[in-house]
Amino acid sequence: MTDMDKTYTLSELRIRDPFIVPDADTQTYYLVASLPAGEEGRQRRHQVASRDLETWTGPTVVFETPADFWAQGPIWAPELHRYNGKYYLFVTFNTGDPLPEGAPLPEGELPAWWSKFVKRGSQVLVADSLLGPYRPFRNAAHTPPELMILDGTLWVEDGVPYMIYCHEWVQIRDGTVDLVRLAPDLSAIEGEPVTLFKGSDAAWTRPGMERYVTDGPFIYRMPGGKLLMLWATLGWFGYTQLMAISESGSIHGPWTHHQRPLFMDDGGHGMIFHRFDGAPFGNGAPMLTLHHPNHQPHERPLIFELELDGDAFAIVRKPPEGYPFTDPDLPMEERIDNLLSLMTVGEKINCLGTIPNVPRLSVWGTGHVEGLHGLAMGGPGGWGRPAPVPTTQFPQAIGLGETWDPDLIHQVAAVEGYETRYMAQSKRFRRGGLVVRAPNADLGRDIRWGRTEECYGEDAFFNGTLVTAFVKGLQGDYPRYWQTASLLKHFFANSNEDERFESSSDFDQRLFREYYSVPFRMGIVDGGARAYMAAYNAYNGVPCTVHPILKEITVNEWGQDGIICTDGGAFTLLMTGHHYYPDLDMAAAAVVKSGINQFLDRYRESVHAAVENGWLTEADLDAVLRGVFRVMIKLGVLDPPELVPYSTIGSEPELPWESEKHKALARLVTQKSIVLLKNADKLLPLDETALKTVAVIGRRADEVLLDWYSGDPPYAVTALDGIRARVGGAVRVIYARDNTDGAAVNAAREADIAIVCVGNHPTGDAGWAECPTPSDGKEAVDRRAIVLEQEELVKQVVRANPNTVVVLISSFPFAITWTQRHVPAIVHMTHNSQELGNALADVLFGDVNPGGRLVQTWPHSIEQLPPRLDYDLRNGRTYMYFKGEPLYPFGFGLSYTTFAYSNLRLSAEHLPADGELMVTLDVTNTGDRAGDEVVQLYVKHLRSTVERPKKELKGFKRITLQPGETQTVQIPLKAEALAYWEAERQRWVVEPGTVQLMLGSSSADTRLDAILRVGVGSME
């Protein structure tokens, strides 16, 4: 064997399947791996040596395949073990020989890319010295080659040696990790193999796949005596290092799978060794080595320090150091210049996913989480799989909108951002990411849209105001770093589900500028968001994923310089849905050149191909990746923790979602989201001292339903729970789920008051893209009806007891025309809040005066709505263009008290084109209860030269007044808010003329008005 005395740094080595053996006698680490075939084409095993794990010398060839050996193909997965005074090298030998007739083959039709069925087997080589030479026991594999067994490793238990190995997924679709006994000298196997577990047993494998990979098992004894097995499978980001635990400490198991992967970034064949220095385990710090990426010929070994993580390990993610990009005092762009200069093309392509890690450089980026109304680490969408974690859950986004309270929305987002940081940084969890896919800045232009629940309403200014508040709450108040990064979705005009994968939202430039883009612009320009998701749909025939407006407007005009990502699967849909490109390689080039820098899709092969074909250059990759790393720097993940004020979150012993502060906020927000729609004869609030029996009726009364983007709450109070807790033992509460066998009618007759809880099911109570009930809707399904099927139950109850309160718990407006005519009291609230029942009881019994307001126009019937795919608002959409009388207008909501408006005054009679004025008025609580009023400012252009809405919301403020109290309310109005977009000259124009200002409690109830003269000018 020949020594080649070359010196390498770790990053210069190009090997796969690294296995490190520390030799304590010489204080040397030996790394065994593969060498390319020699001059005669024979495969070789070699070692390189190091004393510091950084500088390596060698290689020393320790085995070369004999010319007459049974296998002449590549050699994989070397594992070197000392046993009974000798050294044993476990390797996998490959051939190009097809499997013999009768060998096991998978059933069914196989994909064209499926690997070939060839002979391969695990074999043990033996040597008297660590440095070899190693020799086979005989010219045959230990395991039958027709069974395609690979990656054998040694474990000795009670003096008995075993080989643990993988049965190839290619042959059996669902790969296994098996065990077989070896002869005392390891020369052969004895007995029959036993399966320890299957690839599909692990929660982190991708569900529903055609195959489940098992790869590279390695066994390690933990300090407490349990066994830890490292093994790899094919996960969402390539090869993923998983951990399995044998609680019994026996190789025979049973084996359970750890909830967190050890390494998710396409790394294979992990193994654990101990460093000579350090003392956490008595024999030196535990270290992990593996190869990354899992793609020939780019593999290189990586080495990480490990720390205990419950029954398993976690990688110690130390901040990067030693490069200019790690210097927090350098300008951000210089840091990014340096980082990009150090990265390979492959690493850059990897960073176009949602977790921009560069493990070789100790760059640990952060990924995405959902969070429309609380961090989602559970819920119907399975966001916390495989081990959901509860988090604070607030009302659905449409319910947050109904608070009409930006300050409160800011608090909600701040709590969510804190819990997101806690989840990511706490050693107890280490879950999720710091890029939060929220808020949804889309507009609810049509109440049939299945995802109406995710937006804040139908008005662009209103939604933009709440979007801005939510962004600021998530990102925090510290100027240099963010608590989390807010990722807006879905840019833009994304409000139909059934056809979303191929539909085009078509409208003119004015509607784009003045309506559909407004919440996104406000979130970016006013809120400071630097991340958003492009929508599935097209705009005027061009898919949003590749639309020029991504760069031309959001980047060049608005200053968006961070993350722009695709929606899930949207990249592939460019070919399969929109049929915009003939293949994915061309689509990948277009996506990157459009400004997209994160794919929520399988993309790597196509981007590699686009680079190889010359359609993308490395400079193109650098240009988009700058935005990704700007966000990472703002999140502080590249900087020393002591500089980042949010880095200590997660060290607190109390779980934040269990704190009284977060519980109280959830209750407060839910209270403020409740809208009183009707209260004839002041039936509400209820006086419990005058009640003996209350009937609570309806299936929605005894459940808190979660939507697709919800997490799991730490607890959930149903309407029934809340009412029972509120009245205590003084009032009898009876419950009927429905009217089966007359249960609801009997309960209503027996009670003094009947409370009927009805509404939609936010997941349709069905599978993906299924909503059996026509008025239900959700992601992938638009509503087919807007009538309430459960209104029949309301009719039955009212006939039995006219003293009925209807509680509509819904994600959408409903055409409840019969209920409005016949039921004395109606309240509306949305799903999902953990405090739903308590907040509802607070309102029903008068502890809280409802002050929520509607955020969409509620029609009498579906006939009042334009065609669902008509995106031209002027055809009758929203309160601005609605034709006829609505059931309930935009901004509507009642109170248990009354308010008077007076003394309207303007700070100026004339508003210059570049000016601003203050609208001031007095509001008085004229009733006998404290209550909240939402003062709303609308404008109407009286003699415009272009078509304008009937009225437009331009300001609002929610206030609380005690009985008899008067407050002075001030609402600012900027001239730029009155501008329209002049498409011919591509500019904003403040049109000279007169504008009517209208102030009141809803879009249909204005109490005061004034005429304002507006000056001439354009906003270039």
Side-chain angles (χ1 to χ4, degrees):
M1 303 297 176
T2 304
D3 289 353
M4 301 167 62
D5 292 326
K6 292 184 178 179
T7 300
Y8 309 85
T9 64
L10 185 69
S11 62
E12 290 173 336
L13 294 173
R14 292 294 185 272
I15 57 175
R16 65 181 290 122
D17 306 339
F19 194 95
I20 293 178
V21 180
D23 181 21
D25 293 339
T26 62
Q27 293 286 289
T28 302
Y29 304 95
Y30 291 95
L31 188 157
V32 59
S34 303
L35 274 177
E39 295 179 1
E40 298 178 1
R42 287 181 285 167
Q43 298 291 321
R44 298 177 291 172
R45 293 280 98 181
H46 77 281
Q47 290 177 350
V48 290
S50 175
R51 290 182 177 272
D52 59 7
L53 298 177
E54 284 294 333
T55 303
W56 298 81
T57 58
T60 298
V61 177
V62 297
F63 173 77
E64 188 170 27
T65 306
D68 61 348
F69 199 61
W70 71 275
Q72 294 295 318
I75 305 174
W76 293 343
E79 293 209 12
L80 184 55
H81 300 273
R82 186 174 184 180
Y83 172 69
N84 283 351
K86 293 184 180 294
Y87 293 88
Y88 295 88
L89 189 61
F90 285 63
V91 291
T92 299
F93 286 96
N94 292 270
T95 75
D97 302 331
L99 297 181
E101 189 172 337
L105 292 175
E107 298 179 357
E109 185 177 352
L110 303 180
W113 51 265
W114 204 270
S115 300
K116 295 180 180 179
F117 300 103
V118 296
K119 293 181 180 179
R120 65 171 56 113
S122 288
Q123 192 156 354
V124 183
L125 313 178
V126 62
D128 297 317
S129 164
L130 175 64
L131 300 179
Y134 288 82
R135 58 191 182 276
F137 283 101
R138 57 185 183 281
N139 193 359
H142 277 56
T143 57
E146 64 271 16
L147 292 184
M148 300 183 72
I149 287 170
L150 69 161
D151 299 350
T153 187
L154 175 67
W155 186 255
V156 180
E157 188 169 295
D158 297 330
V160 178
Y162 296 94
M163 180 163 63
I164 296 87
Y165 60 85
C166 298
H167 193 169
E168 176 66 273
W169 58 270
V170 167
Q171 192 170 33
I172 58 176
R173 288 189 184 268
D174 193 353
T176 61
V177 173
D178 295 349
L179 170 148
V180 68
R181 183 169 178 163
L182 293 172
D185 64 354
L186 311 192
S187 61
I189 62 173
E190 296 182 346
E192 295 298 318
V194 175
T195 295
L196 299 179
F197 57 83
K198 298 182 295 183
S200 60
D201 291 340
W204 277 95
T205 56
R206 292 177 63 177
M209 294 180 61
E210 297 168 316
R211 76 255 194 259
Y212 292 92
V213 174
T214 52
D215 197 57
F218 174 83
I219 314 297
Y220 178 85
R221 176 77 68 185
M222 296 295 290
K226 298 177 182 179
L227 285 190
L228 174 76
M229 183 190 299
L230 298 187
W231 66 286
T233 192
L234 188 60
W236 292 102
F237 307 106
Y239 258 55
T240 298
Q241 287 291 305
L242 301 179
M243 295 177 286
I245 309 291
S246 172
E247 296 278 346
S248 68
S250 170
I251 192 65
H252 300 283
W255 291 87
T256 58
H257 296 277
H258 193 61
Q259 300 296 348
R260 288 191 288 275
L262 183 59
F263 187 87
M264 295 182 64
D265 291 275
D266 198 31
H269 277 263
M271 62 85 58
I272 298 171
F273 67 97
H274 283 265
R275 203 169 56 203
F276 296 127
D277 58 320
F281 289 78
N283 55 350
M287 309 293 287
L288 168 73
T289 186
L290 46 74
H291 69 250
H292 169 81
N294 194 55
H295 292 90
Q296 295 179 338
H298 306 291
E299 305 99 320
R300 69 180 81 213
L302 299 178
I303 298 176
F304 304 104
E305 184 177 340
L306 298 175
E307 62 181 348
L308 280 175
D309 181 21
D311 292 335
F313 282 122
I315 292 173
V316 178
R317 295 193 171 190
K318 299 178 180 178
E321 56 185 18
Y323 300 102
F325 79 83
T326 67
D327 183 353
D329 293 327
L330 282 180
M332 181 183 290
E333 299 308 311
E334 288 185 26
R335 298 178 68 184
I336 296 172
D337 287 341
N338 175 249
L339 175 56
L340 292 171
S341 73
L342 298 169
M343 294 169 61
T344 67
V345 170
E347 288 169 334
K348 292 175 181 179
I349 293 174
N350 289 347
C351 285
L352 293 173
T354 56
I355 305 181
N357 291 342
V358 190
R360 177 177 61 88
L361 300 175
S362 294
V363 172
W364 301 103
T366 185
H368 294 198
V369 292
E370 299 290 350
L372 292 176
H373 41 72
L375 172 62
M377 293 299 293
W383 303 109
R385 60 179 177 263
V389 181
T391 51
T392 303
Q393 295 301 301
F394 300 98
Q396 292 175 295
I398 199 79
L400 295 178
E402 289 182 346
T403 68
W404 284 67
D405 192 335
D407 292 338
L408 197 58
I409 301 308
H410 184 282
Q411 293 178 50
V412 167
V415 161
E416 180 180 319
Y418 186 94
E419 293 189 3
T420 301
R421 269 276 178 180
Y422 191 99
M423 187 73 65
Q425 295 179 170
S426 168
K427 290 186 177 182
R428 179 173 175 178
F429 298 105
R430 306 182 208 245
R431 301 280 298 280
L434 297 180
V435 179
V436 184
R437 295 175 188 164
N440 188 323
D442 294 317
L443 285 151
R445 61 168 187 103
D446 192 308
I447 65 170
R448 292 167 292 187
W449 177 34
R451 298 176 75 172
T452 294
E453 64 197 22
E454 298 182 27
C455 76
Y456 294 130
E458 70 183 23
D459 183 80
F461 168 77
F462 176 82
N463 283 27
T465 301
L466 297 196
V467 163
T468 298
F470 203 95
V471 169
K472 289 183 175 180
L474 280 177
Q475 298 192 165
D477 301 323
Y478 194 77
R480 180 169 181 175
Y481 295 106
W482 291 335
Q483 178 173 242
T484 59
S486 171
L487 186 146
L488 310 176
K489 55 182 191 178
H490 315 81
F491 187 73
F492 67 108
N494 176 79
S495 53
N496 62 276
E497 293 301 298
D498 293 348
E499 310 84 359
R500 61 182 179 160
F501 292 158
E502 64 273 344
S503 64
S504 179
S505 304
D506 300 335
F507 45 86
D508 59 33
Q509 281 193 37
R510 280 195 62 201
L511 284 177
F512 168 76
R513 292 284 188 168
E514 298 172 24
Y515 185 71
Y516 288 106
S517 69
V518 170
F520 292 94
R521 173 177 55 79
M522 292 177 68
I524 293 169
V525 176
D526 301 335
R530 288 298 180 266
Y532 72 81
M533 177 185 292
Y536 285 123
N537 56 279
Y539 164 49
N540 290 346
V542 181
C544 289
T545 307
V546 292
H547 207 291
I549 57 175
L550 302 187
K551 279 186 176 179
E552 292 175 0
I553 294 178
T554 73
V555 174
N556 297 340
E557 291 188 23
W558 299 347
Q560 159 61 27
D561 61 357
I563 291 171
I564 307 176
C565 71
T566 71
D567 205 336
F571 165 56
T572 301
L573 289 169
L574 290 172
M575 183 180 74
T576 61
H578 291 285
H579 305 290
Y580 207 71
Y581 298 99
D583 59 59
L584 291 178
D585 299 350
M586 293 181 66
V591 168
V592 172
K593 288 185 175 181
S594 74
I596 296 285
N597 51 25
Q598 289 195 339
F599 288 78
L600 274 67
D601 210 335
R602 180 170 178 170
Y603 72 93
R604 293 180 184 179
E605 299 87 346
S606 297
V607 175
H608 273 288
V611 171
E612 291 168 0
N613 288 326
W615 301 333
L616 281 177
T617 66
E618 190 170 0
D620 293 325
L621 302 180
D622 290 348
V624 294
L625 283 174
R626 300 189 76 87
V628 172
F629 290 117
R630 288 186 190 112
V631 172
M632 295 302 112
I633 289 173
K634 287 292 289 183
L635 289 169
V637 299
L638 299 185
D639 290 357
E642 58 270 19
L643 294 181
V644 184
Y646 304 110
S647 65
T648 58
I649 296 175
S651 60
E652 309 91 318
E654 183 184 26
L655 297 175
W657 42 88
E658 294 181 356
S659 72
E660 293 305 315
K661 176 184 175 182
H662 290 193
K663 294 176 184 178
L665 181 62
R667 187 166 183 164
L668 175 65
V669 173
T670 311
Q671 291 167 348
K672 288 184 174 291
S673 73
I674 295 175
V675 184
L676 181 61
L677 297 178
K678 184 179 180 181
N679 193 23
D681 300 324
K682 296 184 178 181
L683 181 62
L684 295 176
L686 301 175
D687 180 1
E688 71 269 25
T689 64
L691 300 174
K692 293 181 179 180
T693 303
V694 172
V696 181
I697 297 168
R699 64 182 63 186
R700 299 294 176 257
D702 198 27
E703 55 192 2
V704 175
L705 295 177
L706 307 177
D707 63 35
W708 185 253
Y709 288 99
S710 173
D712 286 333
Y715 62 91
V717 182
T718 68
L720 180 61
D721 293 336
I723 292 168
R724 282 176 170 162
R726 174 60 181 76
V727 300
V731 179
R732 178 171 171 243
V733 178
I734 55 178
Y735 171 65
R737 184 175 186 272
D738 51 36
N739 200 33
T740 302
D741 299 326
V745 168
N746 291 336
R749 286 173 178 162
E750 190 177 346
D752 301 303
I753 194 85
I755 301 171
V756 186
C757 297
V758 291
N760 72 298
H761 195 296
T763 67
D765 199 20
W768 179 255
E770 296 178 357
C771 280
T773 302
S775 68
D776 280 349
K778 61 181 181 182
E779 180 163 7
V781 185
D782 287 315
R783 304 170 72 196
R784 306 185 300 281
I786 63 172
V787 294
L788 180 65
E789 291 84 355
Q790 296 164 51
E791 200 166 37
E792 182 59 35
L793 176 64
V794 175
K795 295 177 182 179
Q796 293 167 342
V797 172
V798 171
R799 291 176 187 133
N801 186 341
N803 292 324
T804 294
V805 179
V806 167
V807 180
L808 178 58
I809 308 173
S810 72
S811 313
F812 314 100
F814 278 88
I816 51 171
T817 53
W818 189 95
T819 299
Q820 171 62 25
R821 285 197 303 267
H822 297 93
V823 176
I826 309 168
V827 298
H828 176 255
M829 65 190 309
T830 61
H831 296 286
N832 201 84
S833 171
Q834 64 193 46
E835 286 284 348
L836 183 151
N838 285 333
L840 175 63
D842 292 337
V843 167
L844 293 180
F845 289 92
D847 301 321
V848 170
N849 192 342
R853 299 291 187 269
L854 298 181
V855 294
Q856 289 180 291
T857 302
W858 290 41
H860 281 280
S861 70
I862 200 169
E863 285 74 27
Q864 290 182 293
L865 300 177
R868 188 170 48 81
L869 294 180
D870 182 358
Y871 275 77
D872 188 344
L873 298 186
R874 304 179 191 99
N875 294 329
R877 291 209 183 280
T878 79
Y879 74 95
M880 295 186 293
Y881 297 99
F882 192 79
K883 298 174 182 178
E885 291 297 319
L887 178 64
Y888 304 115
F890 173 83
F892 175 76
L894 301 176
S895 173
Y896 296 154
T897 189
T898 54
F899 302 95
Y901 288 56
S902 63
N903 197 21
L904 174 62
R905 57 264 194 206
L906 308 181
S907 62
E909 295 180 357
H910 176 264
L911 180 61
D914 59 352
E916 178 180 1
L917 60 75
M918 189 67 67
V919 179
T920 304
L921 70 155
D922 295 334
V923 180
T924 302
N925 182 345
T926 55
D928 57 3
R929 286 178 176 270
D932 285 10
E933 174 67 335
V934 179
V935 181
Q936 302 167 40
L937 168 64
Y938 295 89
V939 303
K940 180 179 182 179
H941 297 266
L942 297 180
R943 284 179 289 275
S944 178
T945 58
V946 297
E947 183 176 5
R948 297 278 195 143
K950 292 186 291 185
K951 61 183 64 174
E952 301 173 78
L953 181 73
K954 294 301 177 183
F956 61 92
K957 189 170 184 179
R958 181 167 181 160
I959 58 173
T960 302
L961 296 98
Q962 298 301 314
E965 180 185 1
T966 297
Q967 281 191 26
T968 298
V969 177
Q970 292 190 316
I971 300 176
L973 178 64
K974 294 182 178 181
E976 65 184 45
L978 305 176
Y980 74 90
W981 181 255
E982 188 179 54
E984 294 77 10
R985 301 178 67 179
Q986 293 292 292
R987 64 175 188 170
W988 288 102
V989 173
V990 177
E991 190 177 22
T994 53
V995 173
Q996 182 181 6
L997 307 184
M998 299 169 283
L999 291 111
S1001 62
S1002 82
S1003 61
D1005 180 14
T1006 55
R1007 315 282 183 85
L1008 301 173
D1009 63 4
I1011 301 299
L1012 174 67
R1013 291 185 295 110
V1014 180
V1016 183
S1018 65
M1019 300 161 53
E1020 299 293 348

